[in-house]
Amino acid sequence: MKSIGIIGFGNMGESIASGLRRSSKDVEILVMDPVEQRRRVAADRYRAVLHDAPRRLLDDADITVLAVKPQILPQLVANIGDYARGKRFVSVAAGVPLAFYRKALHTNEIVRFMPNIAATVGRALVAVCHAEPIERTTLDFAFRIAEAIGDRLVVPERSMSAITGLSGSGIAYVFALAHAMALGGTYAGLPYTDSLTAAIEVIGGAAELMRADGSHPVELLSRVTSPAGTTIEGIAELEAHGFTSAVMKAVVAAAERADELEKD
């Protein structure tokens, strides 16, 4: 992959450019965005080549990332559809199925991503699905882009709504958990800033332990839960207020909303 186009240089477009600069320093980044300030960031910070005509960007790029908001996407693909035939594309727009791109862009070389906001620090889970049949080269390029912003997980398109509920939206549940833990620490007597620092470290440490240890979360939970101790007291309180059920319902609710968007 010698060059990658990015149409739309908001948070996700910039995250991709940043990740590529870390992992593939020689890749040429081509950017199109209507906002002057965003174009300056792309050029100054990431040495991007700026384009004002989508046709030239598509011609110059080995693969193009459509990083615009879903509500802007129909107008964009209408503008580029006549000269997109056979080109390679990645889309990060939530709720827009592969069939839409195949019809509008006259190509089967389409890959969908579902990342989350952790892409900004290169730690997103990036769910990937793609059209069939598709060239191996397109997949290789798309996988390199995904791995520049996190870890890729290839799933069938029918699973994208579930991934949205679990990962795309799910990172927000972790933010909510961190805040709730910090409030609890404050209620117990710690300053909020100290409580939040502790909560972030606890969540990060727990994630690293699960990744390194490989044990089931319930097994790890049992290791730190002593009979009649402090931890079981806290777990009992969580479950008394429907903790497990609430988290499950949050994931399912977000997944169902994602599914609704797919069908709109």
Side-chain angles (χ1 to χ4, degrees), residues 216-227 231:
H216 193 283
V218 171
E219 180 181 341
L220 293 172
L221 186 152
S222 69
R223 292 184 200 171
V224 297
T225 306
S226 303
T231 304

Side-chain angles (χ1 to χ4, degrees), residues 16 22 39 42 47 77 80 86 108 123 141 151 226 240 246:
I16 290 169
R22 288 192 301 267
R39 292 197 297 271
R47 307 190 309 279
V77 298
I80 67 176
N108 219 48
R123 292 296 305 273
F141 289 170
D151 295 321
S226 303

Side-chain angles (χ1 to χ4, degrees), residues 184-251:
T186 303
Y187 195 21
L190 288 173
Y192 180 85
T193 52
D194 291 345
S195 293
L196 182 58
T197 297
I200 292 169
E201 290 301 314
V202 167
I203 291 169
E208 288 299 320
L209 179 58
M210 285 188 287
R211 186 180 291 112
D213 189 276
S215 298
H216 193 283
V218 171
E219 180 181 341
L220 293 172
L221 186 152
S222 69
R223 292 184 200 171
V224 297
T225 306
S226 303
T230 60
T231 304
I232 192 61
E233 191 74 22
I235 293 292
E237 193 67 19
L238 286 174
E239 294 305 329
H241 290 83
F243 176 77
T244 299
S245 176
V247 174
M248 291 172 62
K249 288 178 179 177
V251 172

Side-chain angles (χ1 to χ4, degrees), residues 84-247:
R85 190 179 303 275
K87 303 293 186 182
R88 301 183 178 99
F89 294 92
V90 167
S91 174
V92 298
V96 184
L98 293 167
F100 168 82
Y101 299 105
R102 284 198 299 263
K103 181 178 180 181
L105 299 175
H106 315 291
T107 181
N108 219 48
E109 303 304 305
I110 304 288
V111 180
R112 281 182 63 189
F113 284 1
M114 173 45 63
N116 61 33
I117 196 174
T120 59
V121 291
R123 292 296 305 273
L125 173 67
V126 186
V128 177
C129 71
H130 56 82
E132 291 282 5
I134 193 168
E135 294 179 2
R136 183 70 228 181
T137 300
T138 302
L139 285 182
D140 288 344
F141 289 170
F143 289 166
R144 283 181 62 186
I145 296 168
E147 289 161 3
I149 57 174
D151 295 321
R152 64 177 164 90
L153 176 66
V154 180
V155 299
E157 187 171 33
R158 65 179 179 274
S159 297
M160 288 296 272
S161 293
I163 285 289
T164 300
L166 181 60
S167 174
S169 300
I171 193 168
Y173 316 152
V174 180
F175 299 151
L177 173 63
H179 175 58
M181 290 175 65
L183 288 177
T186 303
Y187 195 21
L190 288 173
Y192 180 85
T193 52
D194 291 345
S195 293
L196 182 58
T197 297
I200 292 169
E201 290 301 314
V202 167
I203 291 169
E208 288 299 320
L209 179 58
M210 285 188 287
R211 186 180 291 112
D213 189 276
S215 298
H216 193 283
V218 171
E219 180 181 341
L220 293 172
L221 186 152
S222 69
R223 292 184 200 171
V224 297
T225 306
S226 303
T230 60
T231 304
I232 192 61
E233 191 74 22
I235 293 292
E237 193 67 19
L238 286 174
E239 294 305 329
H241 290 83
F243 176 77
T244 299
S245 176
V247 174

